Amino acid sequence: MKKTKEKIDNTIINNLDKETIETTPADGFVKDKEIRPAKMQHYGEGNTQYHKGLAKTVSYTTNDPKITRPVAYGICGIFLAIGIIMLLIGNWFFGIIFTAVATFGLVKSKKDIDRVAEELRSKGQDVTIDSAEEKEQLKNEINEISKNSINDITTSTFNKANYKLFAKSTIPIYCIISAIIVVLISIFVNILLGLFLLVILGLCGLLYYYLISKLFKN
């Protein structure tokens, strides 16, 4: 498994770090939470999943209040709205829980974000969005970062070399399973049906790998 980290400097987003994680079949079985650490399912214990094969994950982290404040307030706002709706329809138990969690999260996140904002401001960094132009610039940079990450993952994953590796690994398995099915059908049902099924499985396999090869076009 290969991990690379780099700091993104040519952006108005403060302290933006990029982490890229890549795995190949040679890495064996790798915990999914090591490949995709940001997935919510990986918080806490249990439900450990493993991955074997090709994978590439790109993630970004930042403590810039221009990003963290709207995200935190948005999440808390959703929980608060759910809590209020629950209270209005008479579901007091969940209404109180959602409202309490939203209120606590809002107070706690505001306190933490304000502290980080003060630290960054003391270093001369801009931590607020003061104009519509700056808001639009931030939006464009986020879209550009997302676009570049998707293009990077697509280009490095869906290429001819990886298709050859995929085909080499899966075609023998497909052939073995197909052969077992055909033999069993021929023995226990009818040999003509088995031969017909052999032709169908062969055509389906050719069509499947042809369509898959079109995805690996880089």
Side-chain angles (χ1 to χ4, degrees):
M1 184 170 63
K2 179 182 177 183
K3 287 186 179 183
T4 57
K5 293 184 179 182
E6 61 178 306
K7 195 170 189 64
I8 309 299
D9 295 320
N10 56 337
T11 175
I12 64 172
I13 303 175
N14 300 307
N15 302 331
L16 182 61
D17 296 318
K18 176 183 177 182
E19 182 181 53
T20 304
I21 303 174
E22 297 180 78
T23 63
T24 66
D27 296 315
F29 288 94
V30 182
K31 289 184 178 180
D32 193 55
K33 65 181 180 181
E34 294 182 12
I35 305 173
R36 304 175 180 87
K39 286 181 68 174
M40 291 297 295
Q41 295 94 321
H42 296 151
Y43 287 92
E45 300 293 332
N47 297 324
T48 301
Q49 298 179 342
Y50 289 86
H51 171 91
K52 178 178 172 61
L54 296 167
K56 184 172 185 178
T57 303
V58 178
S59 58
Y60 294 87
T61 57
T62 181
N63 62 350
D64 192 339
K66 293 196 295 290
I67 301 296
T68 58
R69 197 182 298 277
V71 171
Y73 287 5
I75 294 174
C76 292
I78 292 173
F79 272 75
L80 183 60
I82 294 174
I84 293 175
I85 292 174
M86 290 291 183
L87 292 173
L88 290 175
I89 63 177
N91 193 329
W92 298 100
F93 179 74
F94 286 105
I96 293 174
I97 289 178
F98 273 90
T99 303
V101 169
T103 303
F104 173 79
L106 186 62
V107 173
K108 182 68 167 58
S109 61
K110 184 179 185 305
K111 180 180 178 181
D112 292 341
I113 293 172
D114 287 344
R115 175 178 53 78
V116 173
E118 195 60 35
E119 293 175 358
L120 297 180
R121 193 179 288 112
S122 66
K123 298 177 182 178
Q125 297 180 347
D126 181 18
V127 296
T128 58
I129 301 175
D130 303 315
S131 65
E133 290 77 12
E134 188 175 2
K135 181 178 180 181
E136 186 65 22
Q137 183 183 359
L138 181 62
K139 177 182 176 181
N140 291 336
E141 288 202 7
I142 293 175
N143 290 336
E144 186 66 21
I145 289 172
S146 301
K147 181 181 177 181
N148 290 337
S149 297
I150 293 173
N151 289 337
D152 177 34
I153 293 173
T154 301
T155 302
S156 60
T157 302
F158 294 97
N159 54 54
K160 299 299 183 181
N162 287 344
Y163 172 73
K164 291 180 180 178
L165 180 61
F166 169 77
K168 182 179 178 181
S169 303
T170 59
I171 287 179
I173 297 175
Y174 181 82
C175 291
I176 292 173
I177 294 175
S178 299
I180 292 174
I181 293 174
V182 170
V183 170
L184 292 176
I185 293 296
S186 300
I187 294 175
F188 295 103
V189 182
N190 186 287
I191 190 171
L192 293 179
L193 180 60
L195 292 175
F196 175 76
L197 190 59
L198 176 62
V199 173
I200 295 298
L201 289 174
L203 293 176
C204 288
L206 290 174
L207 178 61
Y208 172 77
Y209 283 99
Y210 171 77
L211 294 176
I212 289 295
S213 67
K214 295 303 179 182
L215 296 176
F216 292 80
K217 56 186 178 180
N218 298 302

